[in-house]
Amino acid sequence: MRIGIVGRPHVGKTSVFNALAQSNAVVGDYTSNKQYNLSTVSVPDDRLEPLTKVFQCNKMVPATIDYIDAGGTTQSARNPNVDRPDNLELNAGVLAELRTVDALAHVVRLFEDETVPHVDGNVDGERDIESVNLEFTFADLQIIEGRLNRLEKLLQNQKTPEYQNEFRVLETYKQTLEDGKPLRSLEISDADEKLIRGYGFLSQKPLLLIINISEDQLQDIDNIYKRFSDFETQEQTAVIILAAQLEMEIAQLDPDDAQIFMVEMGLNQSALDRFIQTSYQLMGLITFFTGGEKEARAWTLRKGQTAVEAAGLIHTDFEQGFIRSECINWKDLTECGSYTQARSKGLLRTEGKTYQVQEGDVLNILANPTN
Ligand SMILES: Nc1nc2c(ncn2[C@@H]2O[C@H](COP(=O)(O)OP(=O)(O)OP(=O)(O)O)[C@@H](O)[C@H]2O)c(=O)[nH]1
Ligand SMILES: [Mg+2]
């Protein structure tokens, strides 16, 4: 899973990135538009350790999330119908990276600090949300218009149903964007989703708004949450409040000190834990497990994905040669202590290709060798 961290300049993107990735990328050197930071973090999962006992193995392989800290966007908000920019401010390389992510995390500055000027003159969270949304709208419109022009030419020569269909779909999207709505507001059929997947439209990606507050604002966190909670009523949008600078410092402490510090600050979960929980919910992700004599391993799927899709994630051969899967909930398995016990208690189920994998399932995929 890949998540792109975006936002206006100097709002704390790199600080959030460091808090989540527990890394040390340089903050405050105003990296906008020049480069981006990449990091892979493990998704902490307490269920792996008991599973290593069942599988009698020593190694745990957690699921991972890749973060991309994309640098800032630099111009202020414009109305798409009045003032179209010729060139977008996120540079092409960063945009191309962002098109491949599964979700966007937009860092919104709420902390006040005179030494860190805001490019738009003052701190205004709602304005920044609007302005970054517009940025995504422009970027998507630019792609759609380019493709519509191309399709028009193609359709003059060949009126294939495929081109006609694509033209129709993209026209609807264009209209949606021009009406000021993001593409994530549309219900998109599976067929259309396949058609447009390759474009990686930014306004279609699930959106996590990260409200970046100062340490002092922590006492006002309930009111701040209320202020932004309306955004959660929008499709595929979630809000999370972080004190990025503080949480970045905590992430750099050793775990025992971090724990003490968090209790003092009244934080009951680390930034990473809250971020992961919220983004899994937002994106409808679930975790399943596999195990063997070498390792116990956690994997990420979308809710509704099937056993054969899970098999494909593990190995393409498993997908092609899929016969069936043995399946058991992780808790049932760890309580039984072994597969033999689980089987004798009748807790081990056999599931076919179309079985929808459930949160916490442990799968043992049986497949024919393919070559
Ligand atoms: N007071 C205060 N300063 C913060 C907070 N979060 C970030 N900063 C400071 O704001 C400045 C910018 O933070 P960064 O994390 O580098 O912001 P950014 O969005 O990555 O900036 P660019 O990459 O330049 O767009 C740094 O000097 C940070 O120390 C905060 O919660 N409170
Ligand atoms: Mg930065």
Side-chain angles (χ1 to χ4, degrees):
M1 183 169 70
R2 287 155 62 80
I3 295 185
I5 299 180
V6 295
R8 306 287 295 146
H10 331 324
V11 294
K13 295 179 297 299
T14 304
S15 305
V16 166
F17 174 84
N18 284 341
L20 299 176
Q22 319 209 323
S23 71
N24 249 320
V26 182
V27 297
D29 76 336
Y30 306 155
T31 55
S32 319
N33 290 341
K34 295 194 196 94
Q35 61 185 66
Y36 47 88
N37 301 310
L38 285 178
S39 177
T40 300
V41 296
S42 299
V43 178
D45 198 319
D46 294 342
R47 296 168 291 186
L48 276 171
E49 212 250 331
L51 283 170
T52 58
K53 302 218 167 71
V54 174
F55 289 103
Q56 299 184 340
C57 60
N58 298 319
K59 197 170 151 201
M60 293 184 270
V61 185
T64 55
I65 302 181
D66 294 332
Y67 295 111
I68 301 164
D69 171 4
T73 63
T74 50
Q75 288 173 20
S76 44
R78 286 146 310 200
N79 181 324
N81 296 317
V82 181
D83 182 17
R84 291 289 292 276
D86 294 329
N87 52 342
L88 297 158
E89 41 259 47
L90 282 168
N91 73 32
V94 174
L95 263 182
E97 272 301 320
L98 286 181
R99 296 206 178 285
T100 67
V101 303
D102 299 297
L104 293 166
H106 173 190
V107 179
V108 179
R109 170 171 168 181
L110 229 58
F111 71 86
E112 298 276 358
D113 184 340
E114 280 170 11
T115 64
V116 183
H118 193 294
V119 285
D120 295 320
N122 65 329
V123 172
D124 180 343
E126 286 83 356
R127 176 203 58 210
D128 285 1
I129 293 173
E130 170 91 347
S131 119
V132 169
N133 283 345
L134 270 179
E135 213 66 63
F136 297 154
T137 301
F138 287 135
D140 288 349
L141 266 177
Q142 202 172 46
I143 290 189
I144 290 177
E145 285 172 355
R147 181 63 187 161
L148 282 173
N149 284 342
R150 175 97 190 103
L151 281 169
E152 237 166 50
K153 294 201 184 90
L154 289 167
L155 280 166
Q156 278 164 10
N157 296 328
Q158 272 181 294
K159 283 212 168 10
T160 68
E162 287 80 16
Y163 290 154
Q164 280 172 323
N165 183 42
E166 192 181 348
F167 195 86
R168 180 189 55 76
V169 172
L170 291 182
E171 276 282 344
T172 317
Y173 290 6
K174 183 171 172 229
Q175 193 55 56
T176 305
L177 292 168
E178 284 177 348
D179 291 344
K181 284 185 249 150
L183 295 177
R184 75 178 75 80
S185 67
L186 289 174
E187 279 227 11
I188 294 177
S189 70
D190 287 351
D192 288 356
E193 150 58 33
K194 278 206 184 97
L195 188 77
I196 53 144
R197 194 178 289 160
Y199 294 117
F201 291 129
L202 299 176
S203 77
Q204 198 193 2
K205 295 181 188 292
L207 180 66
L208 188 56
L209 295 170
I210 302 187
I211 312 297
N212 181 19
I213 61 172
S214 62
E215 203 174 315
D216 300 342
Q217 289 169 313
L218 272 174
Q219 37 186 314
D220 203 24
I221 196 161
D222 291 341
N223 283 329
I224 293 173
Y225 182 71
K226 264 191 217 129
R227 174 173 154 196
F228 288 94
S229 61
D230 264 1
F231 287 99
E232 290 198 308
T233 60
Q234 298 176 1
E235 292 82 358
Q236 292 186 75
T237 306
V239 173
I240 182 169
I241 300 173
L242 292 187
Q245 198 174 49
L246 175 74
E247 308 219 31
M248 170 179 107
E249 286 160 15
I250 295 177
Q252 283 155 4
L253 297 174
D254 79 56
D256 289 342
D257 291 347
Q259 194 55 42
I260 296 167
F261 202 58
M262 275 170 54
V263 171
E264 269 173 25
M265 299 306 307
L267 297 167
N268 48 13
Q269 260 187 323
S270 73
L272 180 63
D273 286 344
R274 275 180 292 151
F275 185 88
I276 286 172
Q277 219 172 49
T278 314
S279 40
Y280 269 52
Q281 266 168 17
L282 172 68
M283 296 159 74
L285 300 177
I286 56 166
T287 305
F288 76 94
F289 302 95
T290 57
E293 55 191 40
K294 273 207 230 136
E295 64 192 31
R297 182 162 180 163
W299 306 81
T300 310
L301 271 189
R302 283 182 204 284
K303 228 176 264 167
Q305 283 192 297
T306 58
V308 73
E309 286 172 299
L313 194 65
I314 300 167
H315 204 297
T316 38
D317 286 355
F318 278 13
E319 186 171 1
Q320 282 155 16
F322 186 96
I323 304 170
R324 61 179 185 277
S325 170
E326 285 181 331
C327 182
I328 181 170
N329 174 267
W330 77 278
K331 200 156 193 12
D332 291 340
L333 180 60
T334 49
E335 277 169 10
C336 289
S338 72
Y339 266 87
T340 320
Q341 276 292 323
R343 190 168 283 123
S344 71
K345 288 190 174 169
L347 290 171
L348 207 60
R349 309 185 313 271
T350 298
E351 303 285 2
K353 276 189 181 178
T354 56
Y355 168 69
Q356 291 191 354
V357 178
Q358 302 296 308
E359 170 65 44
D361 275 351
V362 184
L363 298 184
N364 179 27
I365 312 257
L366 303 161
N368 275 322
T370 54
N371 39 39

